[in-house]
Amino acid sequence: MNVDIWSDIACPWCFIGKRRFEKALAEFPHKDQVTVTWHSFQLDPSLPEHYDGTELEYLSQRKGLQPARVEQMFGHVAQVAAGEGLAYDFGKVVVANSFAGHELIHLAKAVDAAGAGTAVGPKNTADGVKEALLSAHFEKGQDIGSREVLVEVGVAAGLAEADITEALDAGTYRDAVHADIREAQSLGIQGVPFFVLDNKYGVSGAQPTELFSQALDTAWRESNPLVMVGSEELNGEACGPEGC
């Protein structure tokens, strides 16, 4: 079964949604037969490579939100994130364009495809890069638009520094990032995170773990229906709610 996930590195609910989906997947009986693919999405593609201002200033000035409302939002999201084991620090967030980070994830996906595949787990380079970028942005206060940070994250996940530098300099995966964004538009995705299971079932937002579990079960049953052996005339004896 395939699960395609659209998300942005600069989206706090995307990290929370990732955690909740991972919990559901860890408990899913057929998790070893599930392939997870990350897709790019940008909440604000107009952001400069570096923004001179805090996250609060960015949301209040560029998005037109009242500072008090933003502070309230930060508190709520950080509390929800803490419930998932994430330590958000909005006071340290460095506002930056996430495009180069998405390019790095696509490089990792290419390495996975050329090597051991994309099975979920420690060997999934793309997942490792995605995880590290989200943590760098929301927990560590690192600049995800910085080449130094991107190289550090990529190397820690198992990518070669030379490959990272070459791909980012040449824009090797620019078209792939744009293609993901266009596909999201064609699917009608307007917000992230957004999960698509087997190209049939969509889950919007950082839903509770229980809903992700339900979606996985539903999608699995749809693609792997139970096949009965024998005929109706040869049904064996059985017990039911009305008795035996």
Side-chain angles (χ1 to χ4, degrees), residues 33-110:
Q33 299 178 61
V34 176
T35 298
V36 177
T37 303
W38 291 102
H39 295 278
S40 305
F41 190 97
Q42 280 201 292
L43 293 170
D44 187 358
S46 69
L47 254 179
E49 186 174 343
H50 297 284
Y51 174 81
D52 294 327
T54 65
E55 180 81 345
L56 186 144
E57 291 170 340
Y58 163 69
L59 290 174
S60 60
Q61 294 174 9
R62 289 179 67 101
K63 300 297 184 179
L65 301 175
Q66 292 297 320
R69 175 71 184 96
V70 175
E71 289 280 15
Q72 183 183 31
M73 181 184 70
F74 284 168
H76 170 65
V77 176
Q79 183 178 25
V80 175
E84 302 300 331
L86 303 173
Y88 281 12
D89 189 342
F90 285 102
K92 294 196 305 184
V93 167
V94 177
V95 182
N97 194 299
S98 61
F99 193 91
H102 287 297
E103 290 182 273
L104 182 65
I105 294 170
H106 272 280
L107 168 62
K109 285 167 62 175

Side-chain angles (χ1 to χ4, degrees), residues 1 23-32 34 213 216-217 220:
M1 186 167 70
K23 288 180 182 178
L25 185 60
E27 299 170 356
F28 186 56
H30 312 286
K31 59 180 177 291
D32 293 337
V34 176
S213 295
L216 287 167
D217 288 336
W220 181 266

Side-chain angles (χ1 to χ4, degrees), residues 20 33 104 107 111 118 125 128 148 161 172 195 202 209 234:
R20 290 176 172 176
Q33 299 178 61
L104 182 65
L107 168 62
V111 169
T118 55
T125 313
E148 181 181 353
E161 181 175 350
T172 307
F195 305 75
T209 296
L234 296 177

